[in-house]
């Protein structure tokens, strides 16, 4: 069953018959698509355009792997000109379908919560299902955040954004399977890992992460880009300190609207 297609139809209130009309096919053909058959490319485009979703969200097996050298496991699935160009449905589907681990490495990651007000609840649900959740934010009192703020020309505003972002994740403190840490490391990229999918947001000097490109990688059979970035996450994670939101932290990390 293609649950992604079924979910997209239900969310948008589009009956299968309407999709058949749009694609100029027999309704039985749409039934076969819902049953798991992959349509021809022209029909996939029509479906994605009508439902206003990314085609790869509904049929991830059709995503082209570009820039992959034979045998090196560097699976570059897609590139986006900036982080905002990644469809929200991709962020949600990757999170909801994660089984083993969810890793996030950012300075503030404000968009991660503001684009999904239920982020803490959803992460807690994944943890309850057995997914390991590791969130690593910049230390608002650290040197790295201060330097990055100056480089972007926003000064102390970055530290304030970190404090504001952390308040969204306060409900996760003490939640089994969830851990939040603070790092004081120069970040060359933000990382968002969902099992074998990894979204890499490179940092260009002086520009906010949101204005920079994003790479969608998938883990291959050998060592490659995915493994290099995943290893870098572990290195930063091991050097980061737990966020406890104690009495001093509670005052420091109050939300700033």
């Amino acid at each position: 069953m293609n649950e992604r297609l079924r979910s997209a139809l239900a969310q948008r209130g589009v009956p299968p018959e309407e999709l058949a009309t749009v694609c100029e096919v027999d309704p039985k053909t749409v039934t076969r698509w819902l049953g798991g058959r992959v349509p021809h490319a022209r029909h996939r485009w029509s479906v994605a355009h009508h439902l206003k979703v990314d085609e790869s969200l509904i049929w991830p097996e059709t995503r082209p792997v570009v820039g992959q050298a034979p045998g090196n496991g560097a699976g570059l699935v897609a590139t986006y000109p900036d982080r905002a160009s990644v469809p929200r449905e991709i962020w949600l589907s990757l999170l909801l379908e994660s089984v083993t681990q969810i890793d996030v490495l950012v300075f503030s990651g404000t968009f991660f919560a503001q684009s999904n007000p239920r982020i803490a609840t959803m992460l807690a649900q994944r943890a309850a299902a057995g997914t390991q959740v590791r969130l690593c934010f910049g230390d608002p009192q650290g040197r790295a955040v201060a330097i990055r703020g100056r480089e972007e020309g926003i000064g102390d505003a970055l530290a304030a954004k970190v404090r504001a972002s952390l308040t969204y994740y306060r409900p996760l403190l003490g939640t089994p399977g969830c851990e939040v840490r603070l790092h004081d490391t120069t970040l060359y990229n933000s990382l968002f890992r969902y099992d074998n999918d990894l979204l890499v947001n490179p940092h260009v000097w002086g520009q906010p992460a949101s204005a920079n490109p994003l790479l969608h990688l998938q883990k291959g059979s050998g060592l490659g880009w995915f493994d290099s970035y995943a290893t870098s996450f572990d290195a930063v994670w091991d050097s980061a300190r737990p966020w406890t939101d104690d009495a001093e932290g509670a005052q420091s990390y109050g939300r700033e609207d």
Side-chain angles (χ1 to χ4, degrees):
M1 301 296 291
N2 190 330
E3 295 297 340
R4 295 187 177 196
L5 176 56
R6 188 179 300 275
S7 176
L9 290 172
Q11 290 176 4
R12 288 155 181 78
V14 176
E17 295 77 12
E18 179 180 328
L19 205 59
T21 300
V22 169
C23 296
E24 299 181 345
V25 298
D26 189 276
K28 292 182 179 179
T29 300
V30 176
T31 300
R32 288 192 285 270
W33 295 347
L34 291 168
R37 179 173 295 184
V38 179
H40 292 297
R42 68 179 185 277
H43 290 145
R44 295 199 305 269
W45 184 90
S46 297
V47 171
H49 181 73
H50 187 66
L51 298 179
K52 294 182 173 58
V53 299
D54 190 278
E55 179 182 322
S56 64
L57 174 66
I58 303 176
W59 295 285
E61 64 272 24
T62 65
R63 290 183 293 202
V65 178
V66 296
Q68 180 171 358
N72 74 352
L76 178 59
V77 176
T79 61
Y80 299 90
D82 51 63
R83 196 175 60 203
S85 297
V86 182
R88 184 170 183 266
E89 288 84 357
I90 289 183
W91 293 101
L92 292 176
S93 64
L94 289 175
L95 189 154
L96 292 173
E97 295 174 7
S98 294
V99 175
T100 304
Q101 67 188 106
I102 296 175
D103 294 335
V104 175
L105 175 62
V106 293
F107 269 129
S108 67
T110 308
F111 87 98
F112 198 59
Q114 291 184 341
S115 61
N116 183 6
R118 297 184 60 253
I119 185 65
T121 299
M122 294 172 69
L123 290 172
Q125 290 173 343
R126 297 315 310 146
T131 305
Q132 180 188 46
V133 177
R134 300 187 296 178
L135 309 178
C136 199
F137 298 88
D139 189 335
Q141 300 177 11
R143 182 171 179 268
V145 167
I147 292 176
R148 181 58 180 268
R150 290 198 298 270
E151 290 175 349
E152 290 188 15
I154 60 176
D156 295 337
L158 180 57
K161 289 174 63 177
V162 176
R163 296 185 181 104
S165 184
L166 283 169
T167 63
Y168 291 99
Y169 304 97
R170 188 174 290 129
L172 296 180
L173 292 176
T175 300
C178 292
E179 189 173 358
V180 182
R181 294 187 183 182
L182 303 179
H183 70 83
D184 191 17
T185 305
T186 299
L187 287 191
Y188 301 104
N189 40 250
S190 300
L191 301 176
F192 308 88
R193 178 178 182 176
Y194 306 92
D195 291 344
N196 291 328
D197 286 87
L198 180 62
L199 304 182
V200 181
N201 186 193
H203 294 179
V204 175
W205 189 93
Q207 296 184 14
S210 60
N212 297 322
L214 186 139
L215 312 177
H216 184 172
L217 307 178
Q218 284 186 336
K219 184 175 178 62
S221 58
L223 296 178
W225 292 1
F226 183 102
D227 301 274
S228 297
Y229 283 114
T231 299
S232 72
F233 174 91
D234 290 334
V236 176
W237 180 259
D238 290 341
S239 66
R241 65 179 177 89
W243 178 53
T244 58
D245 195 29
D246 54 16
E248 180 180 354
Q251 181 178 3
S252 175
Y253 300 144
R255 180 175 297 180
E256 301 181 20
D257 296 323

